[in-house]
């Protein structure tokens, strides 16, 4: 089954404790992206990747890092989480950078205390 | 990034009613897409539009790519309980170039009253 898998689905952590949200897709997609969803603000892009070893900032990259060492994986790293990073995070992928037809993961709800 | 104005923010309707929502932009987009997000899940693509004036249906859903390329609408006919969710529009800039040029609207919450 074609899917985008995120882990963990739920996490409560404390300020400053580094964490990584993993994302993996099994569709051999070139393009992957991270979004955060906040009430009243919709979906905002954090980082995206056109292919292996190619990453770029989205609209709200501050406080986040990403890496794309393999085609299938695109982890989101919060080096020193802060309460304003409490949010619902979505990873997404698409077949090529020429399409906006994204497949989304189920989301990771992060709470930073 | 670009700004998309999606309206209405929320809709409270009775089962069986038709639904209409739209997105407008001050910029031209080459692609318009509509996604639906159900509670506890990620957004799922409903309809993609690639040509100005294009009208596309997917079951009870119909979406149109505005002729000015600055707007799009989504209609749902004869709503049913499983239509509940958040509907997002998204516009993509460039000549088919890059999901990185994708901008999402803030969503329309559809609530169906029994």
């Amino acid at each position: 089954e074609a899917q985008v898998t995120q882990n963990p689905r739920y996490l409560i952590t404390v300020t400053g404790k580094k964490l990584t949200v993993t994302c993996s897709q099994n569709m051999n997609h070139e393009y992957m992206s991270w979004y955060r969803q906040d009430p009243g603000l919709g979906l905002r892009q954090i980082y995206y990747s056109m292919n292996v070893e190619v990453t770029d900032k989205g609209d709200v990259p501050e406080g986040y890092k990403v890496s794309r060492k393999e085609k299938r994986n695109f982890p989101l790293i919060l080096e020193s989480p802060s309460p304003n990073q409490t949010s619902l995070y979505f990873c997404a992928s698409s077949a090529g950078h020429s399409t906006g037809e994204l497949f989304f993961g189920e989301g990771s709800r992060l709470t930073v205390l | 990034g670009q700004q998309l104005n999606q309206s209405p923010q929320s809709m409270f309707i009775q089962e069986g009613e038709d639904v209409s929502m739209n997105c407008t932009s001050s910029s031209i987009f080459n692609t318009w897409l509509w996604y639906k997000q159900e509670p506890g899940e990620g957004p799922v693509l409903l309809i993609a539009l690639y040509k100005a004036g294009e009208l596309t249906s997917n079951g009870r859903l119909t979406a149109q790519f505005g002729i000015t390329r600055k707007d799009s609408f989504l209609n749902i006919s004869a709503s049913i309980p499983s239509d509940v969710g958040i509907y997002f529009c998204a516009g993509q800039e460039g000549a088919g170039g890059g999901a990185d040029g994708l901008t999402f609207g803030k969503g329309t919450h559809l609530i169906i009253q029994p």
Side-chain angles (χ1 to χ4, degrees):
Chain A
E1 181 189 351
Q3 58 187 7
V4 177
T5 304
Q6 298 177 223
N7 279 296
R9 295 288 314 279
Y10 302 91
L11 180 64
I12 300 174
T13 189
V14 295
T15 298
K17 186 176 180 182
K18 180 180 178 179
L19 69 93
T20 298
V21 185
T22 63
C23 174
S24 180
Q25 50 92 5
N26 63 0
M27 295 168 279
N28 201 37
H29 283 171
E30 291 182 351
Y31 179 91
M32 298 185 75
S33 182
W34 276 101
Y35 291 86
R36 59 178 289 174
Q37 183 178 20
D38 302 289
L41 297 177
L43 291 160
R44 293 182 294 168
Q45 189 181 53
I46 304 170
Y47 269 95
Y48 65 93
S49 169
M50 297 284 207
N51 214 324
V52 176
E53 302 292 1
V54 180
T55 63
D56 258 307
K57 296 178 180 179
D59 296 319
V60 289
E62 293 77 22
Y64 305 95
K65 285 174 57 177
V66 292
S67 68
R68 188 89 182 274
K69 294 186 170 63
E70 306 164 283
K71 199 171 189 177
R72 64 184 293 126
N73 295 323
F74 190 45
L76 179 70
I77 303 155
L78 285 73
E79 292 273 3
S80 183
S82 61
N84 65 12
Q85 292 178 297
T86 292
S87 187
L88 179 58
Y89 291 87
F90 287 101
C91 180
S93 70
S94 72
H97 64 272
S98 62
T99 177
E101 297 181 17
L102 294 169
F103 287 80
F104 282 87
E106 292 185 307
S108 296
R109 185 167 290 283
L110 172 65
T111 301
V112 184
L113 302 174
Chain B
Q2 300 292 341
Q3 297 286 332
L4 284 186
N5 297 310
Q6 184 171 352
S7 65
Q9 271 191 320
S10 57
M11 301 183 74
F12 295 81
I13 63 166
Q14 302 279 349
E15 184 177 350
E17 287 185 25
D18 295 342
V19 172
S20 185
M21 60 190 79
N22 68 83
C23 270
T24 60
S25 170
S26 56
S27 303
I28 288 173
F29 287 111
N30 286 309
T31 303
W32 282 97
L33 308 108
W34 286 91
Y35 288 83
K36 177 189 178 187
Q37 182 182 22
E38 297 189 6
E41 298 184 10
V44 174
L45 181 66
L46 296 173
I47 293 177
L49 303 156
Y50 293 101
K51 190 176 175 182
E54 180 181 356
L55 184 72
T56 296
S57 293
N58 178 4
R60 293 177 296 106
L61 278 60
T62 302
Q64 184 158 29
F65 191 144
I67 199 72
T68 65
R69 299 164 81 183
K70 293 183 178 181
D71 62 346
S72 177
F73 72 75
L74 176 70
N75 286 344
I76 306 173
S77 62
S79 60
I80 60 177
S82 62
D83 290 333
V84 165
I86 305 175
Y87 291 79
F88 290 101
C89 65
Q92 187 171 21
E93 304 170 57
D100 53 295
L102 196 65
T103 302
F104 281 88
K106 293 184 180 178
T108 295
H109 291 242
L110 179 61
I111 298 158
I112 298 179
Q113 297 170 323

